[in-house]
Amino acid sequence: MADSIEFTVSRRGMIVGGAATAMAASAPAEAQTRKSTMPADPPAMPVTLKVNGKAHALSLDPRTTLLDTLREHLHLTGTKKGCDHGQCGACTVLVNGQRINSCLSLALQHDGDSITTIEGLGTPDKLHPMQAAFVRHDGYQCGYCTPGQICSAVAVLDEIKRGVPSHVQADLNARPQASGIEMRERMSGNICRCGAYSNIADAMAEVAGAKA
Amino acid sequence: MKPFTYERARDAVAAARAATRPGAKFLAGGTNLLDLMKIEVETPTHLIDVQDLKLDRIEKTREGGLRIGAFVTNTALAADERVRRDYGVLSRAIVAGASGQLRNKATTAGNLLQRTRCPYFYDTNMACNKRKPGSGCSAIGGYSRQLAVVGSSDHCIATNPSDMNVAMRVLDAVVETVNPEGRTRAIPIAAFHRLPGNTPHIETTLEPGELITAVTLPRPVGGTHVYEKVRDRASYAFALVSVAAVVQKDGSGRVAVGGVAHKPWRVEAAEAAMPNGAKAVTATLLADARPTRDNEFKVPLVERTLAAAISQARTA
């Protein structure tokens, strides 16, 4: 970033540069020293991601999260940035079939991984069964948490099928059932500020062929 | 986030050697580290990603226990058939923590090294001896409802937030490491996490560059395994108090408590009183408790949670 400012000569660049110089002139000496010793941006690194079936070769600042890569570099804005701290679940995507918070992962950690976002689950013409069930059961209001909710819901049913245990399971050694209480517990990492939870549970129950 | 460089280590000793570089840190799942890097509580200048070190397997040990690779995810560990059958308290503790998404990413070693959730550690405008040694502790005299009641010091009253660690402590797990010279060692979990004392920023007995490669569990001890967690909501919240217990048919057993100290809290001497019930055990377990006005409720809560755990074990 620093480089591009130095070498781009434009009217806007000149004005910005001029203002910065003026500010620096009046800033205390300590701030100037800190500025000059500030580490430069680290070199970009190559990473290849397979997103919704399509391979992308990218060159990224190591700080770039998987979430920002999807939204800002691949322009797949279906995945949402809510809290950006792994607390709300709006950024949930599937990595090699498993759901994770894409905000708490660096893109570089996922070199060669297969990522499925809400755009890859279904299309407006051919909805994924979970997307269709959310529509049918009115499983959202504002819709901001919905892509994360749907990705998570798809993964939850798969986790139940694979026998991944949960906190509400009475017998750890029995196979978990797609019951209402199981699905609610497993969805606790997805927050819906509008409070569409009961409709989300209904949508999931329909897809699982169970009772909410 | 502050700038950093990134590498993927190809073998464990090379990773440990790379970690001796000032400002370097290991990166496993990243669910805790990246969160703290975003708010610049953690400011590593170099990350060593350990995902290619093939530390993602769970295998039997010659002694009849299990060796859990450092990179095994929380989900994989809780779901392992042998863990569910023989070390139920560990599965129970793991699924009582975090969310499904986080457990898919968080690793065994990362969970061992999870930083405190003390709000004063997170808030960079507050004094915190753990974040900035020597700066003081805003939590003491501050809002301390979530914080430690035992083993704390005048420098820090933070708690260890992990559920997994409480189960590891009750199971006498052993942490296996390799250092930059290639030497390995085995650290009993009791000697792994430190009390804050006057160096709360030093949380474990790991040495610079030392890499966790595995956690081993001894032979199964039988009994009924219970993890009882009390929190402010039914799911996806840190413990106010949690109890990991393994109770045998004759009423004897072992117990470790979470949410009360800088490390998973276990006092072996207290366990002799297990057949006499929760009150007797807690009296010894929390004999040195120094709660604050905000968290004095945790002392009776430990006793009641332990009573619930013992009763659950008896009816199981």
Side-chain angles (χ1 to χ4, degrees):
Chain A
M1 286 299 280
D3 289 352
S4 66
I5 291 167
E6 296 241 337
F7 294 110
T8 308
V9 182
S10 67
R11 188 164 172 267
R12 187 179 143 73
M14 290 300 282
I15 293 166
V16 171
T21 313
M23 272 177 62
S26 61
E30 188 204 351
Q32 278 196 26
T33 320
R34 205 184 313 142
K35 192 161 190 255
S36 64
T37 56
M38 201 150 80
D41 286 347
M45 290 188 73
V47 61
T48 301
L49 304 174
K50 196 170 176 189
V51 183
N52 301 329
K54 196 176 158 205
H56 296 270
L58 300 160
S59 179
L60 298 171
D61 182 314
R63 291 171 286 187
T64 317
T65 60
L66 179 58
L67 172 62
D68 287 342
T69 305
L70 294 170
R71 289 181 55 85
E72 310 294 332
H73 295 264
L74 301 178
H75 307 291
L76 292 167
T77 51
T79 307
K80 296 294 185 267
K81 184 181 276 194
C83 68
D84 209 23
H85 285 281
Q87 297 171 5
C88 77
C91 68
T92 303
V93 298
L94 308 179
V95 173
N96 303 329
Q98 298 219 20
R99 57 178 171 150
I100 66 161
N101 302 105
S102 61
C103 74
L104 287 187
S105 220
L106 298 173
L108 294 180
Q109 290 175 271
H110 295 287
D111 193 31
D113 284 352
S114 287
I115 291 130
T116 305
T117 69
I118 191 71
E119 292 94 340
L121 274 184
T123 63
D125 300 330
K126 197 169 181 291
L127 294 178
H128 183 280
M130 191 64 80
Q131 289 172 313
F134 267 62
V135 173
R136 244 185 330 271
H137 291 273
D138 213 7
Y140 47 82
Q141 285 182 43
C142 82
Y144 197 80
C145 72
T146 312
Q149 297 277 4
I150 291 177
C151 285
S152 205
V154 168
V156 162
L157 297 191
D158 178 58
E159 285 166 17
I160 292 174
K161 203 177 287 172
R162 286 189 288 115
V164 172
S166 92
H167 174 60
V168 294
Q169 217 169 306
D171 178 1
L172 269 185
N173 296 303
R175 290 201 76 78
Q177 302 296 312
S179 63
I181 186 175
E182 277 286 357
M183 290 189 282
R184 283 166 189 267
E185 158 61 24
R186 290 168 192 264
M187 289 295 286
S188 70
N190 290 83
I191 311 296
C192 171
R193 208 224 72 150
C194 303
Y197 296 115
S198 58
N199 295 357
I200 292 170
D202 287 344
M204 289 180 68
E206 183 190 294
V207 178
K211 278 183 106 170
Chain B
M1 247 186 270
K2 296 279 190 200
F4 58 84
T5 48
Y6 170 97
E7 72 171 291
R8 280 210 190 179
R10 296 291 155 201
D11 72 81
V13 177
R17 217 175 296 131
T20 55
R21 182 170 146 181
K25 259 194 182 295
F26 298 120
L27 172 67
T31 53
N32 190 208
L33 181 59
L34 291 174
D35 184 28
L36 292 169
M37 284 167 65
K38 287 184 181 191
I39 56 172
E40 298 185 358
V41 166
E42 293 273 15
T43 53
T45 53
H46 183 65
L47 290 182
I48 304 146
D49 189 331
V50 297
Q51 67 173 290
D52 295 330
L53 301 185
K54 297 185 173 62
L55 301 175
D56 56 355
R57 281 180 283 247
I58 305 175
E59 52 202 11
K60 279 193 79 145
T61 62
R62 252 177 307 168
E63 295 76 29
L66 282 184
R67 175 174 286 105
I68 303 153
F71 203 76
V72 171
T73 65
N74 286 180
T75 298
L77 181 54
D80 186 273
E81 206 179 309
R82 296 158 293 187
V83 176
R84 279 191 278 170
R85 186 188 59 220
D86 298 330
Y87 307 95
V89 66
L90 181 56
S91 281
R92 287 278 182 212
I94 290 170
V95 296
S99 66
Q101 290 96 313
L102 289 168
R103 292 192 296 268
N104 280 343
K105 194 86 193 313
T107 65
T108 307
N111 202 328
L112 279 175
L113 298 175
Q114 193 181 163
R115 309 297 305 272
T116 184
R117 302 287 162 161
C118 175
Y120 299 93
F121 174 71
Y122 271 70
D123 186 344
T124 50
N125 296 309
M126 295 286 181
C128 173
N129 287 320
K130 193 180 273 301
R131 175 167 33 76
K132 198 176 171 205
S135 64
C137 173
S138 293
I140 296 172
Y143 180 66
S144 53
R145 182 169 177 271
Q146 291 277 354
L147 304 177
V149 298
V150 69
S152 54
S153 73
D154 293 339
H155 305 276
C156 181
I157 58 170
T159 53
N160 184 306
S162 167
D163 291 295
M164 185 198 83
N165 290 349
V166 188
M168 290 293 193
R169 180 70 180 87
V170 91
L171 291 170
D172 286 327
V174 175
V175 182
E176 294 187 351
T177 68
V178 65
N179 81 354
E181 283 81 49
R183 272 198 311 276
T184 59
R185 70 169 173 149
I187 311 166
I189 185 95
F192 182 79
H193 294 105
R194 297 173 80 257
L195 286 177
N198 54 15
T199 53
H201 59 292
I202 306 172
E203 296 173 347
T204 68
T205 50
L206 289 175
E207 280 158 18
E210 195 171 6
L211 174 74
I212 300 173
T213 51
V215 177
T216 57
L217 298 175
R219 291 175 68 87
V221 292
T224 304
H225 289 223
V226 180
Y227 190 74
E228 190 78 24
K229 180 174 177 178
V230 183
R231 44 185 158 173
D232 283 333
R233 56 183 182 213
S235 185
Y236 200 17
F238 291 98
L240 290 167
V241 159
S242 69
V243 166
V246 177
V247 184
Q248 304 295 342
K249 275 205 167 62
D250 61 4
S252 67
R254 33 169 107 178
V255 57
V257 181
V260 297
H262 199 255
K263 60 185 206 176
W265 195 251
R266 182 175 175 196
V267 178
E268 275 82 349
E271 292 167 4
M274 276 292 275
N276 305 327
K279 200 182 178 75
V281 177
T282 310
T284 311
L285 195 62
L286 296 184
D288 299 324
R290 279 200 320 168
T292 67
R293 200 182 52 188
D294 289 342
N295 67 21
E296 59 192 4
F297 72 93
K298 285 191 178 185
V299 175
L301 190 56
V302 166
E303 184 188 317
R304 290 170 195 172
T305 309
L306 177 57
I310 292 172
S311 125
Q312 200 185 314
R314 279 191 190 136
T315 53

